[in-house]
Structures are given as structure tokens and as C-alpha cells.
Amino acid sequence: PRFEIFSDAGSNKKVQLQAGGTSYLNGGNVGINTASPQYKFHVNSGTSNIAARYESTDATAAIQIKDNTREAEIGCTGNDLIFFPQGAEKVRLKANGALGIGTASPLDLIHVKSSSTDARILIDGHTDADAELKFAEAGSVKFTAGFDAATDKFVIGTSNVDTQKRFTINSSGAI
């Protein structure tokens, strides 16, 4: 093991801790395996894809991120990834790939649930651009439903809302 306090060429005082790996305290920043940490905490994991591990001894482990007024946590329970804004679970990505928004138990690939109001999904296209929901099988689009910006109509089509239209409704409700 080694412990050093030294100054670099610019007379900056640095602290180095070494015991099988190297850690640096440099200008108020902490670096692990980097002599020049760029942030308050900087880890260089080299060729390892996992740079850090945060572990809890109970069923949930989380990291809290805080600004000057609020905080949020990102964590896991089992193999599920969970987002906890202000300490309450809002989103869960299950180990099987199912995404729950407003539910810890998604019943399908994407499950949106509201416990206090209507459950809605918003698809918002750029100005003069279509907003579409596509339905595909094995990577081949079979149907598309959405707003055709060029005609100001709701359209069901077979590829895009502005081509191969099969059903349209205008803003007055006429078909």
C-alpha cells in the first residue's frame, strides 16, 4: 500500500492512495484509476464495462440524485430497474423488457396506468410533421394510424398516414 501527498508541476497539491489500484484526490475531485478527474467523482474502469457497484443488504438498492430543492432515485429491486422521483416509484423496467409507467407490474411490453386520472399517451409531431403509431409484424409495417399534417385528418393506412390511406376522418368527424 502507498499513500502520498505531493505537488505536480503546477504546484497543485494532490493526494494519491494506492493498493492494487490507484485513487487520486485532485483539486477537490476524486479519481479512481485516473490522475486527472474531471468531475467531483470520476471512475475510469479501463476495459471493464461496469465502472461501479452500489449494493444494499435489503431488497432495493438506489442512487439518489439531488439538486438544490428536490431529489430522485434510480435503483433496482431484483433485476428490475426503477425510477423514484421524490421517493415514489413512477417507472419500472422489468428484467423481461416490459415497461411499466405508473405500475410496478406491467401486463405487456408497455403498460401505462394512472391511479388518479385518465391514462393517456401523447404522440407529438414537429410542426407540419405527422404523428403516427405503426403496427408491424416481424419488422414489416402492416398498418399505421395517426395524424396527417398535410390534410389535417386522422388516417389509418398501410404504411404511413400520408400514403396508402384506407380510412380518414376530418376534424369535423366526417369519414
Side-chain angles (χ1 to χ4, degrees):
R2 183 168 93 183
F3 174 75
E4 289 182 57
I5 299 176
F6 63 96
S7 294
D8 65 10
S11 297
N12 295 314
K13 290 187 173 47
K14 296 183 178 187
V15 176
Q16 176 181 348
L17 309 170
Q18 187 172 9
T22 305
S23 301
Y24 293 89
L25 303 175
N26 184 348
N29 294 344
V30 175
I32 297 176
N33 285 337
T34 179
S36 302
Q38 301 298 306
Y39 302 97
K40 293 297 177 191
F41 185 62
H42 182 157
V43 177
N44 180 344
S45 66
T47 58
S48 173
N49 290 332
I50 299 174
R53 179 181 206 148
Y54 300 90
E55 188 171 344
S56 172
T57 58
D58 66 3
T60 301
I63 298 170
Q64 186 178 76
I65 302 167
K66 185 177 185 330
D67 66 12
N68 62 342
T69 61
R70 305 245 193 251
E71 66 275 335
E73 294 84 28
I74 300 170
C76 70
T77 296
N79 291 322
D80 297 350
L81 179 63
I82 305 169
F83 297 86
F84 305 89
Q86 295 184 324
E89 180 177 337
K90 299 290 191 269
V91 177
R92 180 181 291 238
L93 179 59
K94 301 283 289 177
N96 67 2
L99 178 68
I101 301 172
T103 178
S105 303
L107 299 176
D108 220 316
L109 289 176
I110 299 175
H111 181 164
V112 178
K113 181 177 182 178
S114 173
S115 59
S116 61
T117 187
D118 298 339
R120 298 182 177 130
I121 297 174
L122 176 66
I123 301 173
D124 189 0
H126 186 61
T127 303
D128 297 326
D130 301 336
E132 303 176 352
L133 183 61
K134 294 182 181 268
F135 300 89
E137 179 182 36
S140 176
V141 174
K142 302 295 183 179
F143 286 96
T144 301
F147 173 71
D148 180 5
T151 63
D152 197 32
K153 293 180 180 178
F154 177 79
V155 177
I156 297 175
T158 56
S159 61
N160 292 312
V161 295
D162 50 3
T163 59
Q164 299 179 345
K165 298 174 183 180
R166 299 296 183 253
F167 181 80
T168 61
I169 302 173
N170 67 22
S171 59
S172 299
I175 298 173

